[in-house]
Amino acid sequence: MPKPLKELLDPRQAAESVASTQVWKSIFRHGYPDSPRNRALTMISNVFLHLHPIRMKKHGLRLRYTWCMGGLTFFLFLIETITGLLLMFYYRPTPEYAHYDMQYLREDVPVGITREIHRWAAHAMVITVWLHMFRVFLTGSYKPPREFNWGIGVFLLVFTLLLSFTGYLLPWDQLAIWAITVGSNMARATPFLGHEGPGASLLKIGDLNLVHAGDDAKFGLLGGRFVGAPALLRFYVLHCVGFPLLLATLIAVHFWRVRRDGGISGPA
Amino acid sequence: MGFLRDLVNAIFTGPTLGPVLIFTISVGGVLALLRWYRVLTRPKVAGAALVAAVVAFALSLGDHNFRLIVAKPDNVPIVMLFFLVGFFTWLALRQAALNDERIEQGKPPREAEESEKSLTWPDLVYIEFLSTVFVTAALLLWSILLKAPLEPPSNPTETPNPSKAPWYFLGLQEMLVYYDPWMAGVVLPSMIIVGLIAVPFIDPNSKGSGYYTLKERKFSIGMFLFGFVSLWCTMIILGTFLRGPNWNFFGPFQRWDPHLLFPLVNVDLSEYVWVHWLGVGKPNSILLREMPGFLAVIAYVVLVPPLFAKRLIPVDIAAKIRGSGLPKALGEVLAAPFAAKAFFAEMYQRLGFVRYNVLMLLVLSMMSLPIKMVLRWTINLKYIVSIPEYFFNI
Ligand code: HEM
């Protein structure tokens, strides 16, 4: 057998000869990752993998310790970003079109499970954030030096819920507008800032109420007295741009700090 | 089967007994876990509990009304939440039980035995890859089997009954039964957020960092389990499956009858004090009328923390009661308040003034919810302070 053919048939040699081509070397700055040196290089020379350390304590690898919940939350966030982008091709955030576009997505778009994946992954993400927080609490991982990252985490939790909440309105069906109505009705009871909140009626100049249904916290949230076209647009912008950007930024900080604080927590 | 179903339905009819039972089970369950976690998390015991839950769930699915609500596509995640929270509570406490045993024998926790390092390529990347493949497969399956629902186009003139917030906020909506929106929707959620951020700063216990344990952190883990499992998750499950039209409570096998009406007989504290107890009628002045309520709230928030912090009574009184020859159970119950008091006094010594008071404010806010629940269930108390003129009801 000619030598090149023999090399190709032996997987080990084949891998090594691929790893020594100019193309491979231009992409990966290391040889085939089977030596400690090359495995370390794999982790640090790849922008995505370098989130991880080169080596870590064994207990931190165990599923029974981290439940991989933070990682899965991040993975679900990525799935949401991709499917969300696809959904945006088909969706117009106005009362005339929103519900119609949803029906179209449901019935006519080929391989029509994008909306399903987006919706179920959103539910799942809320659950995984909670379980991640649960795990972090039960392993005492908020204790020094990780106090700050725990705080970042609390904001991640809040923004995950708000991201989900703003998305809830977009189908523009009965479920959507009434759920958002129930939710946003709480805002009108904000102390001092909502027109049905304690203290709001004390804020007046002469007979003029400063806080009323036309300018209170609920109005600011919805862009109107009721859930209508301005609310839909607001929620759409926040859902597709505002909260994802906020979340992505905070996740970057969160991951950075996990590394800076010494990696996955462990016994002293 | 039919008999069981009728029994459950009979128990759950009416506005009070249902919630009382649900919260008793969830609070009692967490307390039992805290007390007997070593036995309860043994694989055989926990496995039996899981089998029992799955069997009960499967049998219940045979009921039309149960299926109607549990199998709604949007409610599937809450069924998952139920089983996942149960599973992970077990997983954590089981590891805590094993570790606590080791620590008692003078050995380090299991995590410490695995402190040699391993390369993240391939070990970690491999695990992450498998997890994502698994989740992707599950998600695809879920999406193929269950179509995302779409209701009729929005119609501002036709309010559905019940109107429910998204499921992850149902805990807040359930709090509306006991609190006004400014508390349930604004103040208490803000306290939850602030309280969570404050956790690392009010828990100075340096033990139990980086491994599972319960023995070394009973108070903090107990508080967290109480807030997250007994209150938050329980209220979500209750709000999703058992709250029907008009936010009435329905048993798991009952039909959601929109015409069901329960007369409300709720009474404010001012009514109790001025009308029922003093027999003089409510005073006209708002301030005077609500004075009893204000005093109660101020006493709760301002007086309880220092009362608990000071060593007013001998520290060992709990031990004396326990050792006084009373029947064991009775002795435990009588000693409990004194033991709690001694515990908080000791806590004050450890935390110092500021941390102690922040902690107490948060704990008291959380506890105000079950307290209001119990007051409602027992004496129909609606508001402690009630000034509807200014939307100020507590
Ligand atoms: C979008 C939401 C979130 C994402 C994507 C995320 C992601 C992650 C990841 C990947 C890790 C590495 C370890 C692991 O997987 O468990 C981690 C660790 C951590 N997370 Fe999160 N997280 C989120 C929310 C939260 C929340 C809500 C909290 C707490 C309130 C939190 C607090 C922490 C802390 C303290 C650590 C360090 C844990 C340790 O060293 O063991 N995170 N997070």
Side-chain angles (χ1 to χ4, degrees):
Chain A
M1 222 187 295
K3 195 172 159 263
L5 197 63
K6 212 169 143 195
E7 257 180 30
L8 265 181
L9 286 179
D10 176 28
R12 167 80 201 207
Q13 288 209 1
E16 260 168 26
S17 50
V18 170
S20 61
T21 58
Q22 191 186 353
V23 175
W24 172 282
K25 282 185 181 159
S26 74
I27 304 173
F28 304 104
R29 297 284 184 215
H30 54 76
Y32 185 74
D34 56 358
S35 65
R37 188 188 128 84
N38 278 340
R39 286 177 174 176
L41 283 173
T42 304
M43 295 309 284
I44 55 173
S45 64
N46 179 310
V47 66
F48 302 107
L49 291 178
H50 97 287
L51 282 173
H52 291 314
I54 295 174
R55 53 187 94 228
M56 57 189 277
K57 291 184 182 165
K58 270 225 165 82
H59 81 272
L61 292 173
R62 297 261 182 253
L63 269 182
R64 67 162 184 256
Y65 186 73
T66 62
W67 314 345
C68 202
M69 272 307 156
L72 286 180
T73 310
F74 180 54
F75 181 60
L76 288 170
F77 178 67
L78 294 182
I79 290 187
E80 287 303 271
T81 312
I82 296 166
T83 50
L85 204 83
L86 293 175
L87 290 174
M88 283 173 78
F89 292 152
Y90 295 95
Y91 178 82
R92 290 162 288 180
T94 58
E96 295 93 314
Y97 296 124
H99 191 268
Y100 171 83
D101 290 346
M102 280 291 151
Q103 268 172 305
Y104 178 70
L105 263 168
R106 245 172 102 80
E107 280 147 29
D108 294 326
V109 175
V111 202
I113 59 167
T114 317
R115 182 170 169 244
E116 276 68 22
I117 299 178
H118 195 74
R119 187 170 182 125
W120 305 140
H123 286 316
M125 186 174 164
V126 172
I127 297 179
T128 57
V129 184
W130 289 355
L131 290 176
H132 172 55
M133 180 175 72
F134 195 38
R135 180 301 273 183
V136 171
F137 191 94
L138 288 169
T139 53
S141 305
Y142 57 80
K143 300 186 180 200
R146 298 185 177 78
E147 309 99 307
F148 180 76
N149 215 15
W150 168 267
I152 297 282
V154 175
F155 281 99
L156 282 171
L157 171 79
V158 172
F159 289 132
T160 303
L161 293 180
L162 289 178
L163 186 58
S164 195
F165 183 68
T166 46
Y168 218 87
L169 182 63
L170 304 185
W172 205 243
D173 59 354
Q174 279 288 75
L175 183 73
I177 70 152
W178 288 103
I180 303 305
T181 303
V182 172
S184 60
N185 271 348
M186 306 252 189
R188 71 178 175 205
T190 316
F192 296 107
L193 298 178
H195 78 281
E196 286 183 10
S201 58
L202 301 175
L203 300 179
K204 51 167 111 186
I205 303 175
D207 275 346
L208 195 70
N209 269 327
L210 288 183
V211 178
H212 52 77
D215 71 351
D216 69 345
K218 182 184 173 190
F219 191 95
L221 183 68
L222 297 182
R225 286 165 201 251
F226 307 102
V227 179
L232 181 57
L233 187 58
R234 263 169 212 219
F235 276 48
Y236 175 78
V237 172
L238 288 175
H239 183 75
C240 299
V241 185
F243 289 127
L245 278 181
L246 256 173
L247 217 56
T249 313
L250 280 182
I251 288 177
V253 178
H254 194 59
F255 288 0
W256 170 251
R257 285 301 292 237
V258 172
R259 289 288 303 278
R260 290 290 107 182
D261 296 341
I264 303 294
S265 59
Chain B
M1 281 298 108
F3 164 73
L4 262 181
R5 188 180 54 206
D6 292 344
L7 184 74
V8 172
N9 277 348
I11 293 175
F12 278 131
T13 302
T16 305
L17 199 53
V20 172
L21 269 176
I22 301 282
F23 282 106
T24 310
I25 292 171
S26 73
V27 172
V30 163
L31 287 179
L33 264 182
L34 289 174
R35 181 78 180 71
W36 294 293
Y37 67 109
R38 297 187 196 201
V39 180
L40 292 178
T41 57
R42 282 192 194 141
K44 273 188 191 149
V45 182
L50 175 66
V51 170
V54 171
V55 168
F57 184 75
L59 286 180
S60 304
L61 275 180
D63 180 76
H64 175 71
N65 291 324
F66 186 84
R67 209 168 48 238
L68 213 58
I69 290 158
V70 169
K72 251 177 84 169
D74 272 320
N75 289 349
V76 169
I78 297 106
V79 177
M80 285 174 28
L81 178 77
F82 177 80
F83 284 100
L84 286 174
V85 167
F87 172 76
F88 282 111
T89 307
W90 169 75
L91 184 62
L93 290 185
R94 170 73 187 157
Q95 297 184 71
L98 294 177
N99 274 344
D100 289 345
E101 219 157 274
R102 295 177 58 108
I103 293 169
E104 275 160 16
Q105 297 163 357
K107 289 194 262 178
R110 267 203 307 181
E111 285 85 348
E113 302 222 313
E114 299 186 310
S115 58
E116 80 272 28
K117 296 219 165 177
S118 112
L119 283 165
T120 49
W121 181 287
D123 292 356
L124 175 65
V125 180
Y126 174 72
I127 293 173
E128 288 177 340
F129 178 71
L130 280 189
S131 313
T132 55
V133 168
F134 175 75
V135 168
T136 310
L139 211 55
L140 282 177
L141 197 69
W142 187 2
S143 301
I144 291 167
L145 291 181
L146 270 190
K147 206 158 169 64
L150 184 67
E151 293 194 357
S154 71
N155 179 355
T157 58
E158 193 190 309
T159 316
N161 187 8
S163 296
K164 290 190 180 183
W167 63 270
Y168 34 84
F169 288 148
L170 281 188
L172 306 181
Q173 200 173 357
E174 177 64 18
M175 285 204 275
L176 282 177
V177 176
Y178 307 97
Y179 273 117
D180 267 16
W182 72 278
M183 284 293 286
V186 185
V187 173
L188 290 175
S190 310
M191 298 282 283
I192 296 176
I193 296 172
V194 173
L196 281 175
I197 294 176
V199 161
F201 304 100
I202 52 180
D203 175 9
N205 182 357
S206 60
K207 285 195 196 149
S209 168
Y211 54 93
Y212 289 97
T213 170
L214 178 57
K215 199 178 174 201
E216 298 182 339
R217 303 173 55 208
K218 263 230 160 115
F219 180 72
S220 60
I221 290 183
M223 280 293 151
F224 196 82
L225 284 180
F226 182 76
F228 179 64
V229 179
S230 303
L231 294 179
W232 186 255
C233 291
T234 305
M235 286 196 293
I236 288 175
I237 287 163
L238 192 144
T240 309
F241 299 129
L242 305 174
R243 289 289 185 189
N246 310 319
W247 210 249
N248 277 331
F249 186 92
F250 290 88
F253 310 122
Q254 268 171 336
R255 195 174 66 82
W256 281 12
D257 179 359
H259 303 295
L260 207 60
L261 269 187
F262 293 103
L264 283 180
V265 282
N266 294 333
V267 181
D268 292 338
L269 183 67
S270 56
E271 173 106 8
Y272 267 119
V273 172
W274 298 109
V275 182
H276 293 267
W277 296 339
L278 298 178
V280 292
K282 284 192 200 177
N284 284 333
S285 146
I286 294 181
L287 214 55
L288 189 58
R289 186 187 77 204
E290 298 304 330
M291 197 46 81
F294 277 124
L295 289 179
V297 172
I298 291 172
Y300 181 68
V301 181
V302 180
L303 289 187
V304 170
L307 263 182
F308 271 37
K310 291 275 168 292
R311 294 207 169 119
L312 294 177
I313 36 180
V315 182
D316 57 347
I317 196 159
K320 274 193 188 139
I321 296 179
R322 283 199 193 105
S324 66
L326 288 166
K328 192 161 177 266
L330 184 66
E332 284 292 330
V333 172
L334 287 181
F338 298 103
K341 167 110 190 38
F343 176 80
F344 278 102
E346 195 261 332
M347 176 101 85
Y348 178 68
Q349 297 299 321
R350 258 191 308 142
L351 291 186
F353 184 79
V354 174
R355 283 175 176 177
Y356 173 82
N357 279 301
V358 173
L359 173 74
M360 282 310 257
L361 183 66
L362 294 168
V363 170
L364 290 177
S365 313
M366 178 161 87
M367 288 305 168
S368 75
L369 180 65
I371 289 176
K372 271 211 87 173
M373 287 179 175
V374 171
L375 288 176
R376 174 71 57 84
W377 298 333
T378 49
I379 59 169
N380 288 317
L381 187 82
K382 187 163 171 63
Y383 293 125
I384 295 170
V385 175
S386 166
I387 313 181
E389 296 88 335
Y390 293 97
F391 298 109
F392 188 81
N393 303 313
I394 298 177

